[in-house]
Amino acid sequence: MTLDLFGSANDNARHDSPPADELGPGAFVLRGFAQSQLVALQADIDAVVARAPLRHWLTPGGKRMSVAMTNCGEVGWISDRQGYRYGTHDPLSKQPWPPMPASFVALARHAAEAAGYPDFRPDACLINRYALDARLTLHQDRDEREWDAPIVSVSLGLPATFLWGGLRRGDRTRRVRLAPGDVVVWGGPSRLVYHGIASVEGSFDAQAVRYNLTFRLAR
Ligand code: MD3
Ligand code: FE
């Protein structure tokens, strides 16, 4: 893959572009890609949450998820006893999900482009909030109709240990630290890789939390 952001070490030095790690085929960590936008992004998250509050979905098995979630965009990810799915309306308010803030749309598109996926137009943005005790067990993202489009993820707040596995649940996992401002783009052969969040790092601020935005083309 030939990408302007991922040139040689010399290129990076000359252009001062953020370093990128290839996690696997088609999956790239853009370290600090959203660093300069963290304050604006958090303000936009807070505005979405004011209209569509964070909530703990039930899994189809009836367990309360430890991660609190909400959505913006044309469709949002929902879980309840009936299963996992995307829907146009917030089941709590019965209103359509709030629109994606322009800052989200632009960031998702630019990050995808930097990783070699031009013209990414997500219709769904899942907002995840992790308190210190929250976890996301190993899973695949397969509720989307379109598996050719990448997924873009943006980390804010507390750092976390991300688990990066393989195409089978039992494949061994790598641990990757995701810090605020890191953006990860998963596409191609990595789109259906098993992944999760093992732990969130505490800090001196007992109130602090982690946020993650995931942008998807769901339908
Ligand atoms: C790899 N969220 O919402 S983002 C999720 O940090 C989810 O909140 C985690 O997994 C979080 O479904 C991880 C990274 C991520 C998202 C989607 C992926 C990694 C992925 C899809 C395929 C492969
Ligand atoms: Fe996921």
Side-chain angles (χ1 to χ4, degrees):
M1 204 173 252
T2 337
L3 314 165
D4 42 9
L5 274 174
F6 310 137
S8 64
N10 274 341
D11 274 13
N12 278 337
R14 273 192 289 114
H15 302 300
D16 199 28
S17 49
D21 298 343
E22 188 166 12
L23 275 181
F28 299 92
V29 189
L30 310 177
R31 300 271 175 213
F33 192 88
Q35 195 78 56
S36 67
Q37 298 164 63
L38 289 173
V39 172
L41 291 169
Q42 188 62 55
D44 284 337
I45 292 172
D46 294 345
V48 169
V49 167
R51 291 175 58 179
L54 289 152
R55 78 291 307 263
H56 297 269
W57 297 121
L58 289 184
T59 65
K63 286 196 193 142
R64 176 186 188 266
M65 295 184 72
S66 62
V67 180
M69 300 181 171
T70 189
N71 295 281
C72 56
E74 286 159 48
V75 288
W77 188 83
I78 294 165
S79 175
D80 59 21
R81 299 302 294 244
Q82 272 63 59
Y84 305 131
R85 64 195 174 277
Y86 283 90
T88 54
H89 286 62
D90 180 348
L92 284 186
S93 67
K94 317 272 196 280
Q95 298 298 307
W97 296 106
M100 248 188 254
S103 63
F104 287 20
V105 176
L107 174 59
R109 205 175 72 85
H110 291 141
E113 193 168 79
Y117 302 98
D119 204 31
F120 177 50
R121 295 173 209 229
D123 57 9
C125 173
L126 174 62
I127 301 176
N128 291 336
R129 186 192 64 194
Y130 295 77
L132 279 183
D133 58 354
R135 306 272 180 278
L136 196 60
T137 55
L138 216 57
H139 66 279
Q140 289 175 302
D141 287 20
R142 48 186 315 143
D143 304 324
E144 300 73 28
R145 197 171 297 165
E146 186 52 74
W147 291 350
D148 290 340
I151 290 184
V152 172
S153 123
V154 181
S155 290
L156 301 92
L158 296 174
T161 301
F162 173 72
L163 295 174
W164 170 251
L167 290 173
R168 289 164 306 185
R169 185 181 291 280
D171 290 345
R172 66 159 301 177
T173 54
R174 258 180 75 188
R175 301 167 86 83
V176 178
R177 186 173 186 267
L178 292 181
D182 288 350
V183 177
V184 194
V185 182
W186 330 80
S190 293
R191 174 63 181 75
L192 288 174
V193 155
Y194 277 90
H195 60 278
I197 293 290
S199 60
V200 174
E201 285 177 33
S203 82
F204 57 88
D205 177 1
Q207 308 304 311
V209 293
R210 171 175 188 260
Y211 284 92
N212 182 265
L213 308 175
T214 35
F215 297 96
R216 306 183 168 109
L217 189 60
R219 45 162 62 173

